[in-house]
Amino acid sequence: MTATGEEHAGALTGPWWWTRRRSAVLDGSLALVSAVECGAEGIPFARDAGIPVSVGIVFGLIAGSVLLVRRKWPIAVVLVAIAITPAQMGFLMGIVGLYTLAACELPRRIIVALAGMSLLGTMIVTFVRVRQDMARGDVTLGDWFVPFASITTSLGLTAPPVLLGLYVGARRRLMESLRERADSLERELQLLAERAEERAEWARSEERTRIAREMHDVVAHRVSLMVVHAAALQAVARKDPEKAVRNAALVGDMGRQALTELREMLGVLRAGDGVERRTASVPLAAVGVAAAEAVSKVVAEEAVGDGPCLEELEELVGQSAAAGMVVDLSVEGEVRVYAAEVEQTAYRVVQEALTNVHKHAAGAKTYVRLAHRGAEIAMQVENEPPEPGSASAARLPSGGNGLVGMRERVVALGGVFVSGPTDAGGFRVSAVIPAV
């Protein structure tokens, strides 16, 4: 429940039909004053009617105490006030009853009808009393004073409480409407915060998957080549010292490249963590986290934008060739520039495919084909069957995520990815990525 609703619910502390204790005290005080007034007015009424004074007083006390139920049954209070108007009783009860009636959630036609009855009854009673006073000589003004006094008195006792009650009722309904609107807006904000939290969680998951895929590509390829070169270095260290020196230099270069790329990705992760920590104390934290994730993603995309491209494909193939793999690279179609994410994905697919050849088919001849087409770019990496006993020569572990990562990269760009063994016993990896 919202804070506004809690305050509203907490106000229901009064007895019976009263919402608050002070409302019950106010109605009780008004009923007491009204009963005293009607009881006092019951004395002249009893004398004029020729009944015992005690009966008039009791009647006035009972009639005046009806004001106690004005919030529960306002129509009954107004009807009682109209009924005792000929006895010149209940002026306070009539005023308060009309005010309560006008302020209640009742149809306007009922309010107008009862207010008209009270106006008419007060006018008639005043008219009769003033004429009687003039006939007895108590009032010596002209005949014009009788209708003037009756109309003025009836309007004065009826119009102000009705108008005030209508105003208070309209203001009360407006406040209720604003309170309900505030509650509705707060619920909508809570829903938006929950959706933002879900989106932030989805963004974090996507970012973790992307970074894990990127780290896998970088580490797996570089480290696989380093292991292959280290194995070759161990084999030729005594036979061919010059080749051993070259292999050692290649291992160092690849290690430095791998460390550089890892530092870049770790820097992105640290930047994202810093943004999350700065936004931890902001209200509606889910929205802040979502914004932090967006900033982190932009930073990550900028970092990835400086990543590999198709121009570096020959260097990638050359590294594999330097590690002892026989690689044949062929490029078809007119070479052109693609979007950064398209070139990076194509590069990573070829890189991961060559890494898999190093792991599972060491020494096998490999064919790398790249085709530039009108609306797409296609690539294929196919290797022949591995040499006997060479698959485990370098003892390279496999995490089993290489093909999954390649497929996710290609499918994310709307492309098609196919991989599987060939009839000759080798393995083929094919991918087609839209150019736009």
Side-chain angles (χ1 to χ4, degrees):
M1 184 180 292
T2 62
T4 307
E6 289 176 356
E7 292 177 0
H8 185 65
L12 302 176
T13 57
W16 295 343
W17 56 83
W18 287 284
T19 57
R20 292 173 294 183
R21 293 185 182 276
R22 65 179 184 179
S23 299
V25 172
L26 175 62
D27 289 355
S29 301
L30 289 174
L32 179 61
V33 174
S34 177
V36 172
E37 176 202 356
C38 292
E41 293 168 346
I43 297 174
F45 168 71
R47 290 173 181 173
D48 294 340
I51 60 176
V53 176
S54 59
V55 175
I57 295 174
V58 172
F59 174 76
L61 292 174
I62 296 174
S65 62
V66 175
L67 195 58
L68 186 66
V69 296
R70 69 183 186 95
R71 297 178 191 266
K72 185 70 171 177
W73 297 294
I75 297 177
V77 173
V78 175
L79 289 176
V80 171
I82 295 173
I84 63 176
T85 299
Q88 291 187 331
M89 289 184 184
F91 294 103
L92 176 63
M93 182 169 60
I95 294 173
V96 177
L98 287 175
Y99 163 80
T100 306
L101 179 71
C104 289
E105 298 288 340
L106 291 174
R108 290 295 176 87
R109 62 179 182 274
I110 297 178
I111 297 175
V112 172
L114 292 177
M117 292 172 59
S118 178
L119 175 67
L120 183 61
T122 305
M123 185 182 300
I124 294 174
V125 171
T126 305
F127 184 86
V128 172
R129 288 294 182 180
V130 172
R131 282 188 65 88
Q132 289 177 354
D133 292 341
M134 292 185 66
R136 289 195 302 265
D138 297 339
V139 180
T140 59
L141 297 176
D143 295 337
W144 61 269
F145 182 74
V146 177
F148 174 77
S150 60
I151 293 174
T152 303
T153 303
S154 59
L155 287 177
L157 294 176
T158 305
V162 171
L163 294 178
L164 181 61
L166 291 175
Y167 167 75
V168 172
R171 185 175 180 274
R172 185 181 301 157
R173 286 189 292 271
L174 176 61
M175 295 301 295
E176 286 292 331
S177 176
L178 293 177
R179 184 183 294 110
E180 292 176 359
R181 187 176 299 177
D183 293 343
S184 176
L185 289 176
E186 191 166 352
R187 286 192 295 269
E188 290 180 4
L189 285 177
Q190 290 177 352
L191 291 177
L192 289 176
E194 292 175 0
R195 291 182 180 178
E197 180 66 26
E198 293 176 359
R199 292 178 182 176
E201 184 62 30
W202 175 82
R204 284 193 291 267
S205 177
E206 289 292 320
E207 194 68 8
R208 285 194 296 266
T209 303
R210 189 194 65 79
I211 293 175
R213 187 189 305 123
E214 195 73 18
M215 294 185 68
H216 173 271
D217 292 342
V218 172
V219 174
H221 181 73
R222 301 292 184 191
V223 175
S224 297
L225 290 180
M226 291 171 63
V227 173
V228 172
H229 280 292
L233 178 63
Q234 183 180 5
V236 301
R238 296 181 180 179
K239 298 179 181 179
D240 192 350
E242 294 182 0
K243 186 174 181 180
V245 172
R246 290 196 299 271
N247 287 341
L250 287 174
V251 171
D253 291 339
M254 292 176 187
R256 283 188 289 271
Q257 292 176 3
L259 286 175
T260 300
E261 295 182 5
L262 285 175
R263 286 194 186 99
E264 291 177 356
M265 283 182 286
L266 292 175
V268 171
L269 290 177
R270 292 192 185 98
D273 292 341
V275 172
E276 280 195 16
R277 284 194 296 270
R278 288 194 298 272
T279 58
S281 60
V282 179
L284 288 179
V287 179
V289 171
E293 290 292 337
V295 174
S296 177
K297 194 169 186 178
V298 170
V299 174
E301 289 176 354
E302 291 177 355
V304 175
D306 299 331
C309 58
L310 291 177
E311 293 181 356
E312 303 174 9
L313 198 59
E314 293 185 2
E315 180 183 354
L316 176 66
V317 173
Q319 292 174 354
S320 295
M325 179 188 295
V326 181
V327 188
D328 180 20
L329 173 64
S330 61
V331 180
E332 302 175 1
E334 182 181 356
V335 178
R336 61 183 186 275
V337 178
Y338 300 91
E341 55 186 1
V342 173
E343 294 204 9
Q344 293 168 23
T345 300
Y347 181 93
R348 293 301 188 192
V349 168
V350 176
Q351 182 187 55
E352 181 60 27
L354 292 177
T355 302
N356 287 340
V357 175
H358 283 293
K359 290 181 179 179
H360 307 291
K365 187 175 182 179
T366 305
Y367 302 91
V368 179
R369 298 182 179 88
L370 186 67
H372 299 274
R373 301 172 184 171
E376 60 189 17
I377 178 173
M379 65 224 65
Q380 178 177 292
V381 179
E382 180 179 352
N383 62 275
E384 295 179 351
E387 297 179 359
S390 61
S392 61
R395 296 187 296 274
L396 292 173
S398 176
N401 296 319
L403 295 177
V404 175
M406 285 189 284
R407 182 183 301 277
E408 290 177 350
R409 284 179 178 274
V410 174
V411 172
L413 297 180
V416 179
F417 179 84
V418 179
S419 63
T422 62
D423 296 337
F427 199 83
R428 181 188 298 119
V429 173
S430 302
V432 179
I433 304 175
V436 181

